[in-house]
Amino acid sequence: MITKSRIEKILELIKKEYDYIDKKPIHIIDDHKDTWHVRITNYDYTLKVSENFNDYDFAQFFCEYLAKEFGFNLIWTKFDYQNTIDALTLLHEIGHIQQTIEEVSIRDWLKRASIDYSTNEILKMFRSKEEQMVSYRKIKYEYLADKFAVEIFNKYAIKILAILNGTTQKEIENRLAEIKKVIA
């Protein structure tokens, strides 16, 4: 389950990799709504999340897309589905923060991003639902955030899932070993 303190622990883990992520404050708001996003300004970030990411249709597509595009190992969804989805979604949003941290002008970045998102929206009417979902993921900013999410998750999956489960890394490792035995 996502909580503010668990997000802060995950951010501390990421700061080991990307220490410049500490340049601007990151405000965490758990508003118990279904939308997850990050608001970006020149001065700070606001990360809005809910207790759990609950869009199961998107989550299934997202995991399969990440597996195909970035080699994400789907065993994690069999091991701990909800926390894996929550972690990937959270890391994706943090990926947007990571993309903009070095930007001199957030305003210019937002203008460029707006053009790309608007272009995708215009082309949407000519695509099937699945093509729309894939083309959205291919927008530069989404693609880079997805890539970031998978890279961080792959590197720290045990630690991240231990944080989200409120348990030890050893317990996660033992549970993972059991799942691998069942699947094998």
Side-chain angles (χ1 to χ4, degrees):
M1 174 173 46
I2 293 286
T3 64
K4 184 177 179 179
S5 65
R6 289 176 177 170
I7 292 170
E8 288 169 345
K9 288 178 184 176
I10 292 170
L11 282 168
E12 288 303 315
L13 187 64
I14 293 169
K15 288 175 189 175
K16 291 178 184 177
E17 201 77 26
Y18 300 97
D19 61 344
Y20 57 81
I21 231 161
D22 238 353
K23 277 187 170 180
K24 298 179 192 174
I26 301 172
H27 309 289
I28 302 164
I29 298 174
D30 181 358
D31 64 2
H32 299 288
K33 293 182 182 165
D34 290 336
T35 59
W36 290 45
H37 65 275
V38 64
R39 186 179 56 85
I40 301 166
T41 73
N42 283 327
Y43 311 103
D44 64 0
Y45 299 96
T46 302
L47 183 60
K48 289 190 79 169
V49 300
S50 61
E51 191 173 283
N52 288 303
F53 187 81
N54 292 321
D55 185 342
Y56 296 109
D57 290 335
F58 172 76
Q60 182 177 351
F61 160 79
F62 189 51
C63 288
E64 290 170 8
Y65 169 78
L66 294 177
K68 184 178 176 183
E69 191 68 32
F70 302 106
F72 172 69
N73 189 342
L74 291 172
I75 194 168
W76 295 108
T77 59
K78 292 171 180 42
F79 170 71
D80 188 348
Y81 181 81
Q82 188 63 57
N83 283 320
T84 297
I85 296 302
D86 290 348
L88 289 169
T89 306
L90 174 65
L91 292 171
H92 170 90
E93 296 306 329
I94 295 169
H96 287 305
I97 293 171
Q98 188 270 338
Q99 289 171 37
T100 62
I101 219 81
E102 295 290 316
E103 286 288 326
V104 175
S105 170
I106 294 298
R107 186 177 189 174
D108 290 344
W109 184 89
L110 289 170
K111 281 182 187 176
R112 290 190 311 269
S114 179
I115 291 167
D116 288 353
Y117 286 104
S118 294
T119 301
N120 185 69
E121 192 63 30
I122 291 167
L123 297 173
K124 195 174 171 180
M125 69 180 92
F126 302 109
R127 297 179 174 144
S128 69
K129 182 74 171 164
E130 186 169 335
E131 289 171 329
Q132 290 174 25
M133 290 168 53
V134 170
S135 69
Y136 185 81
R137 306 274 24 110
K138 298 287 184 171
I139 295 172
K140 175 183 170 183
Y141 311 101
E142 296 302 317
Y143 188 87
L144 292 173
D146 289 348
K147 184 178 179 195
F148 175 87
V150 172
E151 287 173 358
I152 295 296
F153 188 86
N154 284 344
K155 190 167 191 173
Y156 297 109
I158 302 276
K159 289 180 181 182
I160 290 170
L161 291 176
I163 291 168
L164 293 178
N165 278 286
T167 188
T168 66
Q169 292 178 48
K170 186 66 177 164
E171 187 175 326
I172 297 295
E173 289 168 353
N174 291 340
R175 285 179 43 210
L176 182 60
E178 289 299 315
I179 292 291
K180 286 181 176 179
K181 284 180 191 175
V182 170
I183 292 174

